[in-house]
Amino acid sequence: RLRRLLTISHQPRSELLNFRAASGGIPGRSATEPVLERSKVIREGWCYKESDHLKVWRRRFLVLTRQKLCTFKTDTSGYAQPTSTIDMSNAICSATSSTTIVVRELRDKGSAQENPHKVYSIRFQDGIECRAWLAVLHEVIMAQDAPRANVVSRAW
């Protein structure tokens, strides 16, 4: 394993950066190819998202469709290169304070157990914005198939 790490680290940094810039870091996807269609966007706006590893709050542009919840570094990205994505068909959400929402993507569809695959902690400027986002997220989750909606209702 160490040999593999050393081999990777010996590749010129410029080659790694060129691959990431050209592909958006995702094989088979162009860096400028949008991951969302503007016509399918339900709600978008600025928030603060807690980073996964460092637990630092970063300003992100949040975009919601019926299928995905994505964050972007800018609102001018054209919906290309999201910093993170959650599949809404497998999501639950709850408010943890008057300005913070936690969205979890479950590993097993239809499971009421808290076994999250991904967790977003999202903070908004004020309680009004937070409640508006929570209501829209709840609508999107409830609009999924009926058996799944029953699980989410119990979680609320």
Side-chain angles (χ1 to χ4, degrees):
R1 183 176 176 210
L2 182 58
R3 189 176 306 165
R4 187 173 144 230
L5 290 172
L6 291 174
T7 304
I8 290 172
S9 66
H10 281 70
Q11 290 179 351
R13 184 168 168 76
S14 60
E15 285 181 25
L16 293 172
L17 293 175
N18 288 340
F19 165 76
R20 189 151 197 202
S23 66
I26 302 170
R29 175 164 297 181
S30 146
T32 57
E33 182 181 332
V35 294
L36 303 173
E37 293 178 39
R38 179 167 290 284
S39 63
K40 295 187 177 183
V41 172
I42 296 170
R43 188 173 178 93
E44 60 185 16
W46 288 101
C47 69
Y48 289 88
K49 181 187 170 288
E50 188 177 35
S51 64
D52 295 333
H53 301 290
L54 299 176
K55 302 301 180 193
V56 175
W57 291 96
R58 294 192 174 120
R59 190 168 188 251
R60 294 291 183 245
F61 191 68
L62 190 63
V63 180
L64 176 67
T65 68
R66 295 228 178 266
Q67 291 78 32
K68 296 178 184 179
L69 179 65
C70 298
T71 60
F72 299 90
K73 287 186 179 180
T74 70
D75 59 348
T76 59
S77 67
Y79 304 131
Q81 296 181 319
T83 57
S84 53
T85 304
I86 281 190
D87 177 10
M88 292 306 293
S89 67
N90 235 7
I92 60 172
C93 66
S94 60
T96 57
S97 75
S98 63
T99 58
T100 307
I101 296 173
V102 174
V103 182
R104 294 174 180 87
E105 182 180 336
L106 302 177
R107 292 181 193 278
D108 303 318
K109 185 174 181 176
S111 171
Q113 295 178 350
E114 295 259 340
N115 184 16
H117 174 63
K118 296 179 188 175
V119 178
Y120 276 12
S121 291
I122 305 166
R123 192 175 66 204
F124 298 93
Q125 289 291 331
D126 57 46
I128 295 170
E129 184 73 6
C130 183
R131 284 190 300 274
W133 270 97
L134 187 61
V136 172
L137 286 166
H138 186 240
E139 278 181 37
V140 169
I141 292 169
M142 296 300 287
Q144 305 299 324
D145 56 356
R148 175 81 185 112
N150 292 332
V151 171
V152 173
S153 311
R154 288 195 301 269
W156 282 80

